Amino acid sequence: MRNLRGMNVATVLIAACLGSTMAGAADEPLMIARQGNFYIGGRYVQTKDDTPMVGQAYVQFQIPHRQAHPYPIVMIHGGAQTGSGFISTPDGRDGWATYFLRQGYAVYVVDQVGRGRSPYVGEVYGTLRSQSRTYAMQRNSSIEKFNLWPQAKLHTQWPGTAEPGDPAFDNYFASTVPSMEKRALQYEMNLDAFAALLDRLGPSVLLVHSQSGQYGWPLAQARPALVKAIVAAEPSGPPVHDMVIPGEARQGMPFESATPVEGSEIFRDDPRTRRYGPTDIPLVYDPPITAQSPLEFVRQDRAEGPELVSCWRQKEPARKLVAVGERPILYLAAEASFYAPYNHCTPAYLKQAGVAVTFVRLADIGLRGNGHMMMMEKNSDDIAKVILDWLDKNVPAPAAK
């Protein structure tokens, strides 16, 4: 009797019994002790005609048969995405959630409030903001063809042709979803839901990407004992002012309306200010921020390289971010991403605010050609291995009781 890609039943049973003692390769049997889903957060509100629940986030979880690590990984997707991007890659390989499951981690994958399987209550959440196909190609899949920033030409890792009609691209773009225009409400609801999730799970590792990167810092302050580590794959940035480049507008800010930057023709500042530095979400500083003593920001005198932006940071003497630096933090930077011109700015801001960060440029360790959606690209397993090795070193299991 043959099944599972030609392995006989005896082989399957032996492999299953060995569990995590095996290498955990993608073509080996995977034993799951428990899996399921639930909703976290949420409250009832009175609308004109109904009493809906709002603010709830969908959570999918899997726990391996042989759980080798005591702290689960909570994966929070970025903008225009849902948790599906962590389950599988667009070309059908195991995503990061399955990779870490095979390595003995319990994995919890969320859909942010109002996205994916988290219901959208239009009467409360308001209008939606969508991401166009052209934007997805310019920023994520076909960036080397548009060449809108200096590093874009280095992009090599997208699976397939990265064009409409290619199965991998079509699968990726099919996964894009709109999100609520009311950003302050989105921040508030997601933070409440994710804090409730940590309360339910206990100490956990947060893995955030892009737009969800802004949640890592306030969650570390809100639940300092429960955030054991933060893995930030190009988290929301840069601090203070977003960088604007030609092409489709990002976050509703066209290049023509952005603030010119002296000495640069392709980098402009979004005139809107991230009031708390890395985020618009309130953060706690020491000394405290008050109406009489707000955060003040200054720009670097010059950029650190010809293809980099000059970063914004605090005016000295800098305030310290409370509690954020009490756990290990990993920042992953891709070589060809539209974040590449400013990836260095967030770690520098955090360092000035007293937060130590392990800043890894993937190209420096031989992982070349990645864009911003690194978890979907051809070498996604190699990047996951970087995270795995860092966690093994920096978040060891506590001594057995």
Side-chain angles (χ1 to χ4, degrees):
M1 182 176 179
R2 308 287 291 182
N3 57 16
L4 290 181
R5 299 183 184 179
M7 292 188 293
N8 61 36
V9 172
T11 302
V12 174
L13 291 175
I14 291 170
C17 291
L18 287 173
S20 63
T21 63
M22 301 183 70
D27 59 350
E28 292 171 352
L30 175 60
M31 290 191 69
I32 298 172
R34 193 158 60 92
Q35 65 181 4
N37 58 67
F38 56 88
Y39 286 84
I40 197 73
R43 56 188 173 84
Y44 292 104
V45 298
Q46 184 65 52
T47 64
K48 180 180 178 181
D49 300 314
D50 198 4
T51 311
M53 177 176 282
V54 299
Q56 69 272 36
Y58 175 88
V59 184
Q60 174 181 328
F61 71 91
Q62 290 182 305
I63 300 173
H65 177 64
R66 293 185 182 273
Q67 188 172 346
H69 305 276
Y71 307 123
I73 299 180
V74 176
M75 297 186 176
I76 309 176
H77 60 84
Q81 287 289 299
T82 71
S84 66
F86 287 123
I87 306 300
S88 298
T89 64
D91 57 338
R93 295 172 291 113
D94 283 354
W96 281 2
T98 308
Y99 179 94
F100 283 97
L101 186 68
R102 289 184 179 280
Q103 306 306 318
Y105 279 95
V107 178
Y108 291 75
V109 180
V110 308
D111 285 356
Q112 289 190 41
V113 173
R115 280 193 246 169
R117 287 169 287 188
S118 300
Y120 198 88
V121 184
E123 194 170 352
V124 176
Y125 296 168
T127 57
L128 290 163
R129 172 179 290 175
S130 300
Q131 187 178 96
S132 73
R133 191 180 75 176
T134 299
Y135 181 96
M137 295 171 67
Q138 288 180 348
R139 299 282 182 144
N140 296 326
S141 72
S142 314
I143 60 180
E144 68 278 12
K145 299 174 184 176
F146 292 92
N147 203 30
L148 296 176
W149 58 93
Q151 298 84 351
K153 60 183 177 292
L154 303 174
H155 188 227
T156 60
Q157 291 291 345
W158 191 269
T161 67
E163 298 283 349
D166 178 81
F169 175 84
D170 291 347
N171 197 31
Y172 152 66
F173 191 66
S175 74
T176 61
V177 296
S179 58
M180 67 179 77
E181 186 78 41
K182 296 178 180 178
R183 291 191 173 272
L185 181 63
Q186 182 184 59
Y187 300 155
E188 175 190 345
M189 289 183 167
N190 276 311
L191 281 175
D192 287 347
F194 300 152
L197 179 58
L198 290 171
D199 290 339
R200 174 167 175 163
L201 301 183
S204 305
V205 174
L206 289 182
L207 193 159
V208 293
H209 171 247
S210 195
Q211 175 253 334
S212 71
Q214 64 194 315
Y215 300 132
W217 326 128
L219 283 170
Q221 293 185 332
R223 298 295 187 273
L226 302 182
V227 179
K228 299 300 295 184
I230 298 174
V231 176
E234 296 197 328
S236 177
V240 187
H241 293 282
D242 196 14
M243 184 196 78
V244 183
I245 57 174
E248 290 276 305
R250 182 169 182 245
Q251 298 178 0
M253 179 55 59
F255 184 76
E256 296 74 20
S257 301
T259 305
V261 174
E262 185 177 354
S264 175
E265 296 182 358
I266 60 169
F267 300 145
R268 291 191 176 187
D269 278 344
D270 189 323
R272 297 168 294 190
T273 302
R274 292 190 171 106
R275 294 171 296 160
Y276 294 89
T279 75
D280 273 322
I281 301 170
L283 292 171
V284 181
Y285 283 85
D286 183 25
I289 301 169
T290 66
Q292 294 73 33
S293 180
L295 279 177
E296 295 184 83
F297 304 112
V298 295
R299 185 196 282 279
Q300 283 178 300
D301 292 334
R302 60 181 181 273
E304 297 175 18
E307 298 182 342
L308 303 177
V309 303
S310 53
C311 302
W312 287 88
R313 54 190 58 182
Q314 289 188 66
K315 183 179 179 180
E316 294 288 354
R319 291 174 165 91
K320 303 304 179 184
L321 276 167
V322 174
V324 176
E326 295 174 2
R327 77 263 314 127
I329 298 171
L330 173 64
Y331 187 116
L332 293 175
E335 181 179 40
S337 168
F338 68 93
Y339 273 53
Y342 57 80
N343 263 321
H344 61 295
C345 296
T346 298
Y349 185 98
L350 293 173
K351 181 179 178 181
Q352 185 195 29
V355 179
V357 178
T358 302
F359 180 42
V360 176
R361 290 184 173 93
L362 294 174
D364 290 346
I365 57 174
L367 299 177
R368 311 295 300 266
N370 284 104
H372 185 54
M373 303 300 286
M374 62 187 79
M375 74 291 298
M376 296 184 178
E377 296 194 306
K378 291 186 289 187
N379 62 348
S380 58
D381 279 2
D382 296 328
I383 300 172
K385 181 65 162 56
V386 173
I387 300 171
L388 179 71
D389 291 344
W390 181 84
L391 287 173
D392 286 345
K393 179 180 179 181
N394 292 278
V395 192
K401 295 183 180 180

